[in-house]
Amino acid sequence: MRKLLFGLLGAFMLIGVGSFADSDTIRVSREGKLNSISTAIQQAKDGDVILISPGIYDEQEVVVDKSVSIIGIDYPVLEGAGKKHDVLIVKHDSVIINGLRIRNVQTDYIRDLSAINVQANHCIVENNRLDNTFFGIYLQKCRGNIVRNNIVEGEAKNEISSGNAVHLWYCQNTSVINNSFKNHRDGIYLEFSDSIEITNNVSEGNLRYGLHFMFSNHNVYSGNTFKSNGAGVAVMFSRHIIMKNNDFTSNWGSASYGLLLKEIYDGEITGNRFTSNTIGIYGESANRLIVADNDFERNGWALRILGSCADNTFTHNNFIGNSFDLGTNASQKTNVYKNNFWASYSGYDLNHDGVGDVPYKPVNLFSYLVERIPQSILLHRGMFIQVLNYAEKVAPIFTPEDLADNAPLMKKIKR
Amino acid sequence: MIKIENITKKFGRLDVLKGIDLEISPGKITAILGPNGSGKSTLIKSVLGMVIPDSGNISIDGVSVLGDWKYRNKISYLPQIASFPENLTVKNLIRMLKDIRQQPANESFLISLFKIEEFLDKRIKHLSGGTRQKVNLLLACMFNNPIIILDEPTTGLDPVSVVNLKNLIRQQKEEGTTIIFTTHIMSLVDDLADEIVFLLEGNIHYQGTKEQLKEKNKSKDLELAIANMLVEKKEIKLDSKPFRYVESLAI
Amino acid sequence: MWKVWQYSAYDLLRSRWTYIYFAFFLIVSFSLLRMSSSLMMAVVSLVNIVNILIPLIGTIFGAIYFYNSREFMELLISQPLKRRSLFLGHYLGLASSLAGSFLLGMGIPFVFFRIWQSDQFGNFLSLMFTGILLTFIFVGIAYLIALLNDNKVKGFGIAIVVWLFMVVLYDGLFILLLVAFEDYPLEKFSLAASFLNPVDLSRIFVMLKLDIAALMGYTGAVFSKFLGSSNGIFLSVALMLIWIFVPLLAYLRIARKKDF
């Protein structure tokens, strides 16, 4: 966090210093004498502002190799159609790209072509609209950048021929804030990227994941909405991820998750809302996580925690109206469930301390059976299953004896 | 004319009718008698198509009726136990049967004859047994059909109604209707019947006019004549305790 | 046939049981709509009720009504009516009035909640549709059982056992087989098994659109695709119709030869 702040401060100072010196404003327009952005950059010096008037600019690869601010007026269009390269490449630190509309970046199966490719530090990419760009904003080997207030909408049809809205590769101290990502492969993809802050974005309708971490540590994402993606968020092979106050909604389908955890350690999942997902949280080799203060409502499985997960703590969550509260193939208890509110809890509270006197067992016989034989889900909500579940509850035989919340709450936790 | 040829019927292992040959003369009143289980109802029901005989033939006016249903237009039937949809009123039932049969009916005459005006709008389930039987009679007799079949018509009726019923049957006969009935009440047979058919264990034990029967058994009393006939038969077969079978007539 | 239908329906229209049945659905459907957190959850709960209760009421009430009407049917047999029209008309009388009570009892609260403006409208229609089909199926089965058994007690016993089998035990056997053969690919078996029982079929027909499909992973997607396709809908409706027609035809065939 501190690193990030210094980075930002540095970026502002550079810009500030530049403009104090003697910054010129260069105007580019289709009708004017200066009608090419590339030419404008060639003529500019560090610290200059390039203002671009509305119109369609059909240029070869625009390389930004000076620390200039490129600012579009009423969304001038940079056309990517028919080109075998990125539309805009930022190769110098402290560049600002603001208010552009970039569209139709070619799909390429060898190179990750993008609308805006950032290879320098302390840059700001903001207020842009990217339409049907193969990759939207592509940051590689850089740090201290800010991506904010952009709208990135793709037309992804399948995973192979589509790219990510924001792609971070070997980045540090980057902020991704207030953007909207739609219809890409992944909304945001991080690989080998650390200390990234992802805040208040909306990631919707992406084929694979709304947000995807690979080998990325010490990151924070909060206040984001992940809706109707293949899976809301996938966190894989990563450590120390903090996931706070996000909305995971309607990630619904035969292989869909709200949050997919795989090989991750030491994270925090707090204050999130999981609503109408096939699986709220799916965990495979997820360890030492704290899952607290979340709401799970109307999911197929609120939690599906495989036996390879250990030392996780689930506490103060609300579980309401899920088809199954917990699915697991574990035969023993390796995680802690405590002080949650389970709507299907039918126990009593004789001493009125708000904590139920009998343990709640979130794994019922049917969820155990479905875990073992997926086809048996066809009997879901049949009368036999209800009888069976009741019998198992009274005299457990199959479900893990100690897998229980020993202090379930009687009332829904108000947020 | 109703012609019954060699009818047989088994219920399970029980032979109920063992080859009945019978002609029922038109315009006459025929009483079918016999102890319980002798096959009276089965015979009647065969004619109505309610029981399907195992073999043999039944024809009315020369046309076979087996497997047909339109011939029932010519027959009125009074079942032994009648029950109706409980929530329908008497009026509903009258309309329903008229609807089904699509024939003219003289229900108003019978309604006043049996004095059931006040029950017309009552539901069947609220009627007494006797009144139900009256409704049953009304429904059976309100159509002018050439054949009337009555199964135990006097069950549950008060004496006045029995008299009315007898008059009704006589009147129908005068109009040329063929009437067949079963009963255990011998006085009714004496009063009404022209012909008597006596069934015993699935066979016709006796068929002829009432007079012939009395003459044959040298008795003026029909009841006694029939009892004699039964006893005679059983004595030959079992040669002991003749009166037991008189009791079993359930007269 | 229509005359017999008309009078048995009219008889039932004046029976308090028809109104109790109607009121039951009215109350249950209304209170579920009021209490459920969403329209979808209300529909889910009603799927349960429909799939358990309609078969139960269909079989039990079907048997009672048939036995109660036996003498009336005898009377009608002696009338100039074809046996087939008589028995079919009587069956249709009961099945249609039960279906009508269900349709109105369940439907009115939904109309009240403006179901046609909701995304659950399709599911609601499927639910109504399967409910009606189940009514016709189970009244037919009950009539067949009652016709075959002159002994009322035995007839009731068989009817209840059939209900229990279809609604509960069948699923139990299904699970036993699934567990016994879990090492084998079970997709086709489970699909066939769930298609053969009308209760399971109707439940899955509605639930696939609600949550089964998504809970089922890859197989669910295949099922959902299949059932959602016109072929799948055609096949499920065809199977439900077979479940109506086979018992009904058997019933009519036996009624044709039956002695009264």
Side-chain angles (χ1 to χ4, degrees), chain A residues 207-228:
Chain A
L207 292 183
R208 198 166 62 182
Y209 305 125
L211 167 61
H212 189 179
F213 293 88
M214 291 294 270
F215 312 106
S216 299
N217 306 321
H218 298 284
N219 300 305
V220 179
Y221 67 95
S222 61
N224 303 286
T225 300
F226 303 100
K227 195 176 168 188
S228 308

Side-chain angles (χ1 to χ4, degrees), chain C residues 85-102:
Chain C
S85 346
L86 158 61
F87 282 91
L88 191 58
H90 196 264
Y91 160 80
L92 288 177
L94 178 62
S96 62
S97 68
L98 284 182
S101 298
F102 160 70

Side-chain angles (χ1 to χ4, degrees), chain A residues 209 229-233 251 255-260 277-282:
Chain A
Y209 305 125
N229 302 291
V233 175
N251 299 295
S256 288
Y257 313 95
L259 172 55
L260 168 63
N277 305 289
T278 295
I279 300 176
I281 299 180
Y282 177 87

Side-chain angles (χ1 to χ4, degrees), chain A residues 266-284:
Chain A
D266 302 305
E268 260 177 48
I269 302 172
T270 52
N272 302 287
R273 284 165 303 278
F274 296 86
T275 315
S276 301
N277 305 289
T278 295
I279 300 176
I281 299 180
Y282 177 87
E284 199 181 307

Side-chain angles (χ1 to χ4, degrees), chain A residues 323 372 375 377 380-381, chain C residues 48 182 187 203 211 216-217:
Chain A
S323 299
R372 209 168 122 183
Q375 287 82 4
I377 191 76
H380 184 41
R381 293 188 199 283
Chain C
N48 251 322
E182 69 175 312
E187 272 75 19
R203 181 172 44 80
D211 65 353
M216 217 184 148

